[in-house]
Amino acid sequence: MADKELRKMNRTELIEIIYALQQNERTLREENERLQAQLAEKVLRIEKSGSIAEAALSLNRIFEDAEQAAQQYLTSIREANGSAEQILEDARREADAILAQAKAKPQEESPAQRSETAPVPLPSEGGAQSVS
């Protein structure tokens, strides 16, 4: 409104205009507060989503580290089982060799060795006569 129009208005009309402007200002302030609250809420959501994304990445890293540790553990167990199986196989071969040697020894003894270990007849068995 132009100054000339305002000057021509009476007091009641001016008060009504002032009152309408105050109502409009109040409405605009309320809308401004509501919009600021929505903005703050959206900012908070964005921050939380960033935090959630960071937490998800952190969890992914934790799971990757746990999986790698499990793989290392399984590898070490497999290696230990492999070396234990090798030791067992070596022990079996050695035992077989010892058994083969033990079986071959009695056959390898010479007749002289057998006579040394042969039982000696006792005098009462007829080898010598007793004097009575």
Side-chain angles (χ1 to χ4, degrees):
M1 289 188 158
D3 279 341
K4 287 183 182 180
E5 291 178 9
L6 287 175
R7 291 184 192 270
K8 290 182 183 177
M9 293 184 180
N10 64 25
R11 188 177 181 115
T12 308
E13 291 174 331
L14 290 173
I15 291 175
E16 287 176 7
I17 290 175
I18 291 173
Y19 181 73
L21 289 174
Q22 285 178 342
Q23 291 296 327
N24 190 21
E25 182 185 9
R26 185 177 307 128
T27 304
L28 291 174
R29 285 183 194 261
E30 289 173 359
E31 184 178 1
N32 187 7
E33 289 174 7
R34 183 180 53 82
L35 291 173
Q36 284 180 350
Q38 286 178 353
L39 178 63
E41 184 179 329
K42 287 183 181 185
V43 168
L44 184 61
R45 282 185 191 166
I46 290 170
E47 288 174 359
K48 282 184 180 180
S49 68
S51 297
I52 291 171
E54 289 171 6
L57 287 174
S58 177
L59 283 175
N60 284 341
R61 280 185 237 126
I62 290 170
F63 287 134
E64 288 170 359
D65 291 344
E67 184 175 350
Q68 184 179 12
Q71 288 298 328
Q72 288 175 349
Y73 176 74
L74 288 174
T75 301
S76 67
I77 293 296
R78 287 182 186 124
E79 288 173 0
N81 283 342
S83 64
E85 288 175 6
Q86 183 63 41
I87 291 169
L88 183 60
E89 185 63 32
D90 292 345
R92 284 184 181 148
R93 274 192 239 122
E94 188 176 340
D96 290 342
I98 292 171
L99 285 174
Q101 283 178 350
K103 289 179 181 178
K105 260 192 178 178
Q107 296 169 356
E108 292 176 0
E109 283 185 12
S110 66
Q113 290 173 333
R114 287 187 191 141
S115 66
E116 289 175 5
T117 59
V120 178
L122 294 175
S124 60
E125 293 181 355
Q129 294 183 350
S130 60
V131 178
S132 355

